[in-house]
Amino acid sequence: MSTPASITAEQDARRLHDQGHGHEADPGEMSIGVIIGRSAEFFDFLVFSIACVLVFPARLFPFADPLTGTLYAFAILALAFVARPFGSAFFMWVDRNYGRSAKLTSALFMLGTSTVAIGLIPTYEVLGSWAIIILCILRLAQGFALGGAWDGLASLLALSAPEKKRGWYAMIPQLGVPIALIVAAGLFVYLVMSVSQTDFLDWGWRYPFFVAFAINVVALFSRVRLVVTPEYEEMFKKAELAPRGYRETFGNQGRNIFAGVLVPLASFALFHMMTVFPLAYVYLFTDNSPVGFLSTLLLGAFVGLFSTIASGVLSDRIGRRTLLTWSTIGIAIFAVVGPVLLSMGGAGQTLYVVLGFILLGLSFGQSSGAVASSFGPQYRYSASAITSDLAWVAGAGFAPLVALYLTATLGIWAAGAYLLSGAICTLFALRLNRMSSEMGRH
């Protein structure tokens, strides 16, 4: 639920949209652009995450045992999240000096090129340690580029949303996650089942990285077509959605940024606890087929898609803060029950996936909207990007590495305790946000 100040700011911005030259935002057109963009971004990252379990330990870390090799791969996975805030700072500078089109084009070109290059990396047997070094560089480039992929369309969509449908329009950008997972998991399942294990490890795994480039090209054209038109440039200007410097943004929105980093912590951590971590657990600690579990994740992605849609409906009916509070409590309970289900085998793992994706959709569907609504329009463009970057670093960047290490050393219950800590932080942030709102009324 938005604070009174943020509600007033959004109403003021909407009035600005209605004034001037008669240009009105088309929520449907923006929604399509946002969904395509988010799906492309998450597809790149999910393809890399799945390869961290199925491919990289065998092909880039053959000198290590499977567990250690997977931990090394997860450490490289985290590099993109560390690089992302630096990419945001650089591309915000590009935006201020050369325009949103130059920023978006260069960032998505860099993201697509880095992803394709990962699919071309020779194995350790061919290049030795240089193969690992090149992978680290390209992974950093992926994260750096993703920092520049923020186009402001999600913020413009939120400001253009009807009064009683803020939750629905806040949910729309998050649909990119389950859609990307459906495509990524489905593609890997098809490849693993279509070729031999030797062929898959030799060349089959590379195709998803090439597909990612094609998806990025489509996303680039669909988004640039919107953000560079005079109509949308005018709407960005009237909504004050212009890039601001980091120092200015932190100086004016520092407290909101801090709270914004904590609010989505539970859902961002759950994101990796429902995708790459359980895949690694099944692959390393059980006799179940990772392909079979990928198929289960495919089912979970569809569940998550409908759950994310439901979050938009529920948010508009009961309030965003209420929905986030109850879904976070559900995540806290799941942090205790989930590890037990995951360790039970087939039926337990399926239940783990279904319950987890229901909670992920409900919480993830509104977490970013809760963050964005706390910023005034003039800072929403930059502050939303900064907050999202830092929240992903804190909540998701190191989650697979930490959860797998804790599982290997202490047991799977420790991974659940790690997720529980994220849920506690989110509940604290929601409580802090509520207290701030109540103080603002007096």
Side-chain angles (χ1 to χ4, degrees), residues 132-203:
I132 301 172
I133 294 172
I134 292 172
L135 180 63
C136 290
I137 293 172
L138 292 174
R139 182 59 178 169
L140 286 168
Q142 268 193 321
F144 192 85
L146 187 61
W150 177 251
D151 53 19
L153 283 174
S155 293
L156 189 59
L157 181 63
L159 291 174
S160 306
E163 182 74 21
K164 295 183 179 181
K165 288 196 172 183
R166 290 199 191 104
W168 178 261
Y169 283 96
M171 168 274 300
I172 287 174
Q174 310 304 81
L175 290 174
V177 176
I179 291 173
L181 181 58
I182 288 170
V183 178
L187 189 54
F188 269 101
V189 168
Y190 171 78
L191 288 169
V192 172
M193 295 182 67
S194 299
V195 300
S196 67
Q197 183 178 12
T198 301
D199 286 340
F200 173 76
L201 290 176
D202 282 344
W203 52 266

Side-chain angles (χ1 to χ4, degrees), residues 79-268:
L79 292 178
F81 296 94
V82 176
R84 184 171 171 174
F86 297 97
S88 286
F90 172 77
F91 284 107
M92 285 290 178
W93 175 84
V94 173
D95 196 338
R96 291 195 302 272
N97 290 275
Y98 300 100
R100 188 176 281 109
S101 176
K103 167 198 171 185
L104 196 58
T105 302
S106 56
L108 290 182
F109 179 79
M110 183 179 184
L111 178 61
T113 303
S114 301
T115 303
V116 169
I118 290 173
L120 297 172
I121 293 178
T123 63
Y124 183 86
E125 285 81 1
V126 175
L127 281 186
S129 59
W130 277 107
I132 301 172
I133 294 172
I134 292 172
L135 180 63
C136 290
I137 293 172
L138 292 174
R139 182 59 178 169
L140 286 168
Q142 268 193 321
F144 192 85
L146 187 61
W150 177 251
D151 53 19
L153 283 174
S155 293
L156 189 59
L157 181 63
L159 291 174
S160 306
E163 182 74 21
K164 295 183 179 181
K165 288 196 172 183
R166 290 199 191 104
W168 178 261
Y169 283 96
M171 168 274 300
I172 287 174
Q174 310 304 81
L175 290 174
V177 176
I179 291 173
L181 181 58
I182 288 170
V183 178
L187 189 54
F188 269 101
V189 168
Y190 171 78
L191 288 169
V192 172
M193 295 182 67
S194 299
V195 300
S196 67
Q197 183 178 12
T198 301
D199 286 340
F200 173 76
L201 290 176
D202 282 344
W203 52 266
W205 67 272
R206 303 177 187 274
Y207 279 94
F209 289 90
F210 303 151
V211 171
F213 182 79
I215 292 176
N216 271 286
V217 171
V218 174
L220 174 62
F221 281 104
S222 68
R223 295 160 79 179
V224 170
R225 185 180 65 85
L226 291 178
V227 301
V228 302
T229 58
E231 289 81 6
Y232 277 88
E233 287 287 355
E234 184 71 13
M235 285 187 286
F236 277 116
K237 185 184 299 183
K238 287 184 178 296
E240 301 183 61
L241 290 174
R244 306 275 179 168
Y246 266 39
R247 182 177 299 179
E248 178 186 356
T249 303
F250 274 106
N252 288 274
Q253 299 290 313
R255 178 172 179 173
N256 289 334
I257 289 174
F258 173 74
V261 169
L262 295 179
V263 167
L265 209 60
S267 60
F268 284 8

